[in-house]
Every structure is written in structure tokens, then in C-alpha cells.
Amino acid sequence: MRVMVIVKATGSSEAGEIPDPELMADMGKFNDELIAAGIMEAGEGLKPSSTGVRVRFSGKNRTVTDGPFAETKELIAGYWLWEVRDLDEAIEWVKRCPNPMREDSDIEIRPLYEMEDFASMDDSGELAQQDLAQRVEVSMQSAQVQPYLFFGGRCEEALEFYKQALNAKVGMLLRHCDSPEPAPAGTLPEGFENKIMHAEFTVGKATLMASDGCGDSVDSGGFSLALTVPTEDDAHRVFNALAAGGKPVMPLGKTFWSPCFGVVADPFGVGWMVMVPDPNQPQS
């Protein structure tokens, strides 16, 4: 089940008092635990109500009122979205949370409505299909496509060329011999151990990825497209869509750099590397 965990406002939060460094560090550690447990979907703190507005609806009329708003105990100062087993698990996690305020405070847990709750009024399934389509559209708005270039053993030479020709800046660079996971037996030809497994470089504001691949041959015209999507469900959906009429190259699975990664050639021979970002790594 999904729940919203609501941090209720207090006098100090409404006064705009910033938490002290110790509390910020403690809350950071707590969020790290939530992320590691796969529970946290989102979490933000809110500025005081004095910085906000309310819009009142009355028939066709709309009235905007500037904050601050009275009844501090009815306001919220922050929230999380969690996916938990049940309400008891959410309660246990909240009990482990540091007190988010300087004074006594309250945290409220509210389950979210799911489409199953509306099944009695959706005999045709039309509402459920609409909800799914909207979730897919919202999720895909944050998808990223980046060029991934393969050089068949000449990646280092290519990077040096781009540095000279385009003032490229090379960031991350990982060789096969430095990988935390050795390549499967027979994957790399002799002498490829020191070749580049993965590199990232920028040209202007664009970031590109590059690799020597696993041999001298270069497929798909020397490039693949790296498609990063928010969730594993998204990864399976787009992977299967690209594979229809195409050819899976590497099935989706967990790797040391992604909880879900796979490679597929689409019907036009274009290579796609579908992946979900590591939730424990900062995202650009």
C-alpha cells in the first residue's frame, strides 16, 4: 500500500526556523534508510504558510487568499510518499524518525486511494485504463535519452580526439579491469582488459556516453541510445515495446550500476540500453 506521511506544522516551522545541522544530518540518515529499504518514493519540506496562498472554490468563483493561515496544528510542514507492506510497517518507520521539529510535534499517516478502491464504479475498466495511461504519460515525461557511442577498441583515442577537436570534458571513466564485477568468461577478447568499459564526456551542454564495447566489431552504426526511465515497470514496458519485431540482446536484470538494465535492438536495428537509475546515487 502507498501512504502519505505528513509532518504537521509547529510554531517553529511556521516561523521559518531552519533545522539545526544535527537534525538535518539525522533526517538525512533516516531518508537513506528509507531509500535503502525501497520504501521512499518522494519526500519534501514545505516553506511556512506565510509564503503560500489558498484558492477557495465557490460555484464558478475563485478567491485567492495570501498566507499565513491560522490554526498551525492543521497545517503541514513536509511530507513523504512511501510504499509499505501495511499500515503497521509505516507506523514502525515513523517511530524511528527523528523528531523533525524543535518542539513536540506530530506526524500523520494517511493511506492513498488506489484504483482498486473504485472498482465498484468502474465495471468497464475505463477509469483504470485512463489512470494507467496518465501514470505512464507522467512517468515518461522524466525519461531521458542519451547517445551511447561504441568504438570497438578505439574509445580512448576517440576521447582524446574529441578533447582536442571539440574541447570535450571527460568525466567518469571505468576500464574493464576496474569493474567491481568481472566480465563473464569469453565475453572479452584477449587484450581488452584495459579497454574502456564505460566513460562519460560532455561537449558544451550535452553529455554523451562511450565504450570500447566487448570486441573490435561495431554494431548499429557505432552507437546505441541509452534510455533511462523512473521505475522497473517502465523499463519492462518500454523494453518489451522495443523488442516487438526487434531482438533482445541482454534481458532486463539487476546490475551493480542499475536495479534494472537490459539491451535491445529495435525493428530498425537501433540499439537501446534501457535502465532504471540507482536510487542510492545522486541523479543529475
Side-chain angles (χ1 to χ4, degrees), residues 180-249:
E181 294 177 2
T187 301
L188 295 178
E190 185 177 355
F192 251 66
E193 295 79 8
N194 291 320
K195 295 294 185 179
I196 295 174
M197 176 181 178
H198 175 76
E200 297 180 6
F201 66 100
T202 58
V203 177
K205 295 182 179 180
T207 299
L208 299 90
M209 304 179 187
S211 173
D212 275 312
C214 297
D216 295 328
S217 62
V218 178
D219 298 323
S220 300
F223 74 95
S224 290
L225 297 178
L227 175 60
T228 301
V229 294
T231 70
E232 294 189 27
D233 285 343
D234 291 324
H236 282 279
R237 179 173 52 79
V238 298
F239 186 94
N240 291 336
L242 291 168
K247 179 181 179 182
V249 178

Side-chain angles (χ1 to χ4, degrees), residues 30-80:
F30 180 64
N31 285 335
D32 284 340
E33 293 176 5
L34 293 171
I35 293 171
I39 288 173
M40 181 171 163
E41 294 186 351
E44 302 289 348
L46 303 180
K47 292 185 176 181
S49 68
S50 60
T51 66
V53 298
R54 281 182 177 170
V55 180
R56 179 172 179 78
F57 291 73
S58 178
K60 294 183 178 181
N61 296 323
R62 306 290 185 267
T63 304
V64 179
T65 304
D66 294 330
F69 307 118
E71 298 295 335
T72 296
K73 65 181 181 180
E74 300 301 327
L75 302 174
I76 68 173
Y79 69 93
W80 288 278

